[in-house]
Amino acid sequence: MTDRDRTDPGETLPDAADRANMGTRDVEKRWRDPAALRRAALYVVSSVGVAAIALAVFLATGASNVVVAAIVPGVCLVGAIGALAIGYRSYRHGGTWPVWQGAAWFLFALMLVSLSLPTLTVR
């Protein structure tokens, strides 16, 4: 089955020059943008740093309060949503968005792990 068999009779097929300009960057996933990777890594490190400070406060107070325990996963959740928002803006401007999606998934996973914090105070 050729490309011509899969198209409508009235539809014209792009030639090789048109196919080269049809956004193969998005399909092939061959991005190389060290600056975007550094920004995303710095964003994740700062989000994890804020979560670590919240964890230190939680452990120092020894509180078994659910609201205090929810601060750490809340910080990770807000960080992940922020990374998705930055990734979407990068996508809309034609930038390297997968690094931001990866940062968001990492922060979402960290949020799920940190949901077990209330069990740390059970004696």
Side-chain angles (χ1 to χ4, degrees):
M1 179 179 251
T2 65
D3 285 341
R4 295 209 184 272
D5 296 334
R6 286 183 248 160
T7 60
D8 294 333
E11 185 180 356
T12 60
L13 292 173
D15 61 356
D18 289 336
R19 280 195 300 263
N21 295 325
M22 287 178 60
T24 54
R25 271 188 80 208
D26 189 45
V27 175
E28 294 177 5
K29 307 287 189 271
R30 283 195 252 171
W31 293 294
R32 176 157 166 70
D33 191 359
L37 182 63
R38 277 192 299 273
R39 284 191 305 270
L42 183 63
Y43 181 86
V44 168
V45 166
S46 62
S47 294
V48 170
V50 171
I53 292 170
L55 176 65
V57 168
F58 170 73
L59 293 176
T61 60
S64 61
N65 189 355
V66 176
V67 174
V68 176
I71 292 173
V72 177
V75 167
C76 293
L77 177 65
V78 169
I81 292 172
L84 286 177
I86 294 169
Y88 179 71
R89 281 190 310 211
S90 178
Y91 168 75
R92 295 291 291 172
H93 290 93
T96 309
W97 56 269
V99 293
W100 291 102
Q101 188 178 21
W105 278 112
F106 177 78
L107 289 170
F108 277 133
L110 192 61
M111 178 201 66
L112 289 175
V113 169
S114 66
L115 283 173
S116 65
L117 281 180
T119 62
L120 294 176
T121 59
V122 175
R123 297 182 209 284

